[in-house]
Amino acid sequence: MSEPLVWLTIFVLSVFVGIEVISKVSPTLHTPLMSGANAIHGVILVGAILVAGSADSTPILALSLVAVVLAAINMTGGFVVTDRMLQMFAPRKKVTAAD
Amino acid sequence: MSTPTWAQLGYLLAAVAFILALKGLSSPKTARRGNLLGAAGAVLACVIVFFANDLHNIVPILIAVAVGTVIGVLGAYRVQMTQMPQLVALFNGVGGGAAAIVALVELHEITERSAATPLFTLIATAFTVVVGSVSFAGSVITFLKLQELMTTRPVIFPGYPVAYGLAMLAVLGFSVWLVLAPSMLLGIPLAVFGLALGVLLVLPVGGADVPIVISLLNAFTGLTVAASGYVLENTLLLVAGTLVGSAGTLLTRLMAKAMGRSLANTLFGALRGGSTLG
């Protein structure tokens, strides 16, 4: 199999996994799921670190470092804010259980 | 950029963590654990990239990671509960911006390389620059709308469809030009028109529909990250980005359905009902 085809295969299978895995999401979790998925694409940080690590001139390095900062904000902020959202769910669930 | 086997296996582990994270986030009982698992996968991936590659500029990179982490964590802790959606929009926007910058820098690398770059790689690079810019600009507008720094009503101006069409044509034209003659200088106007397209995409959306659009832009950023994974030959970025792209697209449709709206109506309803189109 030629290399572009291998990548296409991974891509197509990932599309199906992504759809399948969240197809039963409960409506109350729409916003936290969006936020969690948002944090996951913060993994572009890996790409930003890679290009910054091979930058050969100061302007290119500076530009790549901007990408590193932005990606790190996306990733860490995303996971923390999702956790905070989900914390709000916990006490509310206890109240309904006590009713 | 060849990656050692142990690192590939580590990336696979991180990809599995992301899949289980999305699965966990779909159910109230497992949601918090799912999110933590996703975070663990992301941290693992970032540790691997430092050890698996012969990186230069380690110290400035670590400082940049630290700065981004502090900003992200402070933002996430300081935000009011009611303001969380706009913060997610902002986080999504900076992610899209990061992907667009990565593609621009990679364009610079491509032009320095002596060997010819495969066509698909160039197409994926152009895609990343455009969609990353759309996601960045669109997310900033959704933030301004939700934060009520601008009107939450749909914004339509005379000549809007013409402006939209021209921006779209400019993006397509510059993309083709970039693929035929790759250079970083061409990437910059492409990014600028991508930003314009992002602004035009979100302006006609009314305040109540904004969360649906944030979810759509989130899926866009996912696809951008997937494309940059192809450009950088990194399987984890491809898998993670595609997962978010497809899950985000389905989630956008589910959210629209839950609010009794169709996606087309959300995006272009103001145009259809507006006086500009009669």
Side-chain angles (χ1 to χ4, degrees):
Chain A
M1 202 155 55
S2 74
E3 202 176 329
L5 271 180
V6 175
W7 291 87
L8 183 65
T9 307
I10 300 174
F11 171 74
V12 172
L13 294 181
S14 301
V15 167
F16 279 94
V17 173
I19 291 172
E20 203 54 43
V21 89
I22 67 137
S23 55
K24 301 215 165 52
V25 60
S26 59
T28 49
L29 284 173
H30 279 172
T31 307
L33 176 61
M34 174 174 81
S35 181
N38 168 55
I40 287 175
H41 69 51
V43 76
I44 183 63
L45 179 57
V46 167
I49 291 172
L50 278 174
V51 294
S54 57
D56 47 11
S57 66
T58 316
I60 293 295
L61 176 63
L63 195 58
S64 323
L65 288 178
V66 172
V68 172
V69 173
L70 295 180
I73 294 175
N74 181 191
M75 195 182 105
T76 52
F79 283 116
V80 173
V81 84
T82 310
D83 195 58
R84 276 196 68 201
M85 278 182 203
L86 292 169
Q87 271 176 330
M88 300 191 316
F89 279 80
R92 211 188 283 161
K93 253 177 67 196
K94 262 178 211 155
V95 171
T96 46
D99 280 344
Chain B
M1 260 182 258
S2 70
T3 316
T5 309
W6 66 264
Q8 298 277 18
L9 288 172
Y11 284 149
L12 179 60
L13 202 63
V16 171
F18 290 156
I19 293 171
L20 294 176
L22 288 174
K23 180 88 193 158
L25 278 165
S26 310
S27 154
K29 265 187 211 155
T30 53
R32 217 172 153 198
R33 211 185 320 146
N35 181 53
L36 293 178
L37 191 60
V43 170
L44 173 70
C46 292
V47 171
I48 289 174
V49 74
F50 277 104
F51 288 99
N53 299 276
D54 186 20
L55 297 179
H56 304 283
N57 318 313
I58 297 261
V59 175
I61 293 175
L62 285 176
I63 293 173
V65 171
V67 169
T69 303
V70 169
I71 297 175
V73 171
L74 278 184
Y77 269 111
R78 290 264 174 91
V79 68
Q80 304 284 316
M81 296 295 175
T82 50
Q83 293 175 331
M84 279 180 181
Q86 48 266 52
L87 189 70
V88 173
L90 216 51
F91 285 160
N92 176 50
V94 294
I101 294 175
V102 167
L104 280 176
V105 172
E106 195 56 21
L107 261 178
H108 168 79
E109 301 275 309
I110 284 171
T111 46
E112 303 250 300
R113 236 174 264 160
S114 50
T117 309
L119 184 66
F120 287 126
T121 306
L122 291 172
I123 294 173
T125 312
F127 177 87
T128 309
V129 172
V130 173
V131 184
S133 307
V134 168
S135 190
F136 176 78
S139 298
V140 170
I141 300 293
T142 56
F143 172 81
L144 295 177
K145 283 196 182 213
L146 287 178
Q147 198 69 19
E148 290 179 4
L149 293 171
M150 64 176 281
T151 172
T152 54
R153 297 186 52 76
V155 177
I156 291 282
F157 50 85
Y160 173 91
V162 178
Y164 199 94
L166 285 179
M168 193 68 106
L169 276 179
V171 160
L172 285 177
F174 272 100
S175 299
V176 172
W177 191 0
L178 186 82
V179 169
L180 294 178
S183 86
M184 197 177 170
L185 275 180
L186 274 178
I188 293 167
L190 185 60
V192 171
F193 284 113
L195 292 173
L197 202 56
V199 171
L200 290 171
L201 181 73
V202 180
L203 277 182
V205 178
D209 288 334
V210 165
I212 301 173
V213 177
I214 297 177
S215 177
L216 183 71
L217 293 171
N218 188 34
F220 278 8
T221 309
L223 290 178
T224 315
V225 172
S228 68
Y230 183 72
V231 173
L232 296 171
E233 298 183 5
N234 184 299
T235 43
L236 177 61
L237 291 188
L238 176 69
V239 173
T242 309
L243 285 172
V244 176
S246 65
T249 306
L250 175 61
L251 182 62
T252 306
R253 290 185 53 197
L254 292 176
M255 284 170 84
K257 215 169 124 194
M259 295 168 86
R261 305 281 280 146
S262 86
L263 190 54
N265 208 10
T266 304
L267 288 176
F268 303 114
L271 272 182
R272 231 178 280 148
S275 55
T276 42
L277 286 182

